[in-house]
Amino acid sequence: MHKNTYNMKDSVIILSGGMDSVTLLHNYKEQIALAVTFNYGSNHAQREIACAAENCKELGIEHLVIPLYFMHQYFRSSLLQGGEAIPEGHYTAENMKSTVVPFRNGVMLAIAAGIAESRGLQNVMIANHAGDHTIYPDCRPEFINAMNNAIISGSNGVKLLAPYTNITKTEICGLGAKIGVDYSKTYSCYKGGKKHCGKCGTCVERKEAFELAGVPDPTEYEE
């Protein structure tokens, strides 16, 4: 279903350095001409950026890091306030809504679409998935569809591809394992420590994905 059948490099990917986008990077490596990582000042930015860069180097894919520090300055989110502000618990819990960075994907997709058109590329790729839908409005199918329409309408031939929109992180993990993704070279923890805290929503989701997919978890957790 998600096997890449393309044979030309016509896409730019938004690559965080987490499990989902790194899986997408490897899954569509034959199609991806450029990976873009946005540094908007989150707690875990530097660790994610390092993972993104390492995977791009491994695959021989050009990698850009674009600073969006205005988001840290003007947007409100616990993700931007230091590790102590990050809630703990299940990733679908109500308190996890504090980790929403308002319209983050909208901002990033707009920039990525401009880069794609500037480089003559046809697609922007993003790795949102079904597990994001409860908490993050800018990961839901209706948002992706609306952004795709906006990008098509506002560009010269660019469109949005989001192949994981309706599958779970567990399914993504299983897919990544099959195609040989090294998940030790990904980072997820919202607190941004050297080891994953194991307690924040994204750590809980990461653990659950490996367990349910039956894939060995290479992550170092504090607990």
Side-chain angles (χ1 to χ4, degrees), residues 54-99:
E54 185 173 4
N55 281 277
C56 285
K57 183 178 180 180
E58 175 187 329
L59 296 175
I61 293 172
E62 182 184 356
H63 181 226
L64 296 179
V65 179
I66 298 178
L68 298 179
Y69 297 136
F70 70 89
M71 294 176 70
H72 186 276
Q73 184 176 2
Y74 297 112
F75 291 18
R76 297 190 65 180
S77 169
S78 62
L79 212 61
L80 307 175
Q81 297 171 12
E84 68 280 356
I86 298 298
E88 296 180 352
H90 196 269
Y91 56 92
T92 60
E94 184 71 17
N95 65 342
M96 294 303 157
K97 289 184 178 180
S98 76
T99 65

Side-chain angles (χ1 to χ4, degrees), residues 13-65:
I13 184 176
I14 296 176
L15 180 68
S16 70
M19 286 179 67
D20 311 316
S21 64
V22 168
T23 302
L24 189 65
L25 179 77
H26 285 262
N27 196 182
Y28 288 83
K29 61 186 178 183
E30 301 301 327
Q31 181 181 350
I32 295 169
L34 174 68
V36 179
T37 303
F38 294 102
N39 184 354
Y40 53 95
S42 67
N43 305 318
H44 56 309
Q46 294 307 318
R47 298 191 187 282
E48 276 198 325
I49 289 169
C51 289
E54 185 173 4
N55 281 277
C56 285
K57 183 178 180 180
E58 175 187 329
L59 296 175
I61 293 172
E62 182 184 356
H63 181 226
L64 296 179
V65 179

Side-chain angles (χ1 to χ4, degrees), residues 6-203:
Y6 296 88
N7 57 13
M8 64 178 292
K9 291 185 177 292
D10 60 1
S11 302
V12 56
I13 184 176
I14 296 176
L15 180 68
S16 70
M19 286 179 67
D20 311 316
S21 64
V22 168
T23 302
L24 189 65
L25 179 77
H26 285 262
N27 196 182
Y28 288 83
K29 61 186 178 183
E30 301 301 327
Q31 181 181 350
I32 295 169
L34 174 68
V36 179
T37 303
F38 294 102
N39 184 354
Y40 53 95
S42 67
N43 305 318
H44 56 309
Q46 294 307 318
R47 298 191 187 282
E48 276 198 325
I49 289 169
C51 289
E54 185 173 4
N55 281 277
C56 285
K57 183 178 180 180
E58 175 187 329
L59 296 175
I61 293 172
E62 182 184 356
H63 181 226
L64 296 179
V65 179
I66 298 178
L68 298 179
Y69 297 136
F70 70 89
M71 294 176 70
H72 186 276
Q73 184 176 2
Y74 297 112
F75 291 18
R76 297 190 65 180
S77 169
S78 62
L79 212 61
L80 307 175
Q81 297 171 12
E84 68 280 356
I86 298 298
E88 296 180 352
H90 196 269
Y91 56 92
T92 60
E94 184 71 17
N95 65 342
M96 294 303 157
K97 289 184 178 180
S98 76
T99 65
V100 172
V101 180
F103 210 64
R104 172 181 57 184
N105 284 346
V107 173
M108 294 178 180
L109 285 169
I111 295 169
I115 292 173
E117 184 165 0
S118 298
R119 293 207 175 197
L121 301 174
Q122 296 178 7
N123 307 301
V124 174
M125 305 193 75
I126 188 170
N128 61 300
H129 62 83
D132 295 328
H133 298 175
T134 302
I135 301 297
Y136 302 104
D138 59 357
C139 290
R140 296 169 186 162
E142 54 268 35
F143 171 82
I144 295 298
N145 292 336
M147 282 301 296
N148 182 45
N149 290 333
I151 289 170
I152 291 172
S153 298
S155 68
N156 186 20
V158 179
K159 63 181 181 294
L160 175 58
L161 300 180
Y164 297 164
T165 299
N166 294 309
I167 67 172
T168 66
K169 196 180 193 80
T170 298
E171 291 174 294
I172 293 170
C173 182
L175 169 63
K178 287 180 182 177
I179 63 176
V181 176
D182 183 353
Y183 284 121
S184 70
K185 297 177 181 178
T186 65
Y187 189 87
S188 300
C189 182
Y190 280 165
K191 295 191 177 184
K194 185 176 180 180
K195 293 183 178 181
H196 286 65
C197 75
K199 297 178 181 178
C200 70
T202 190
C203 277

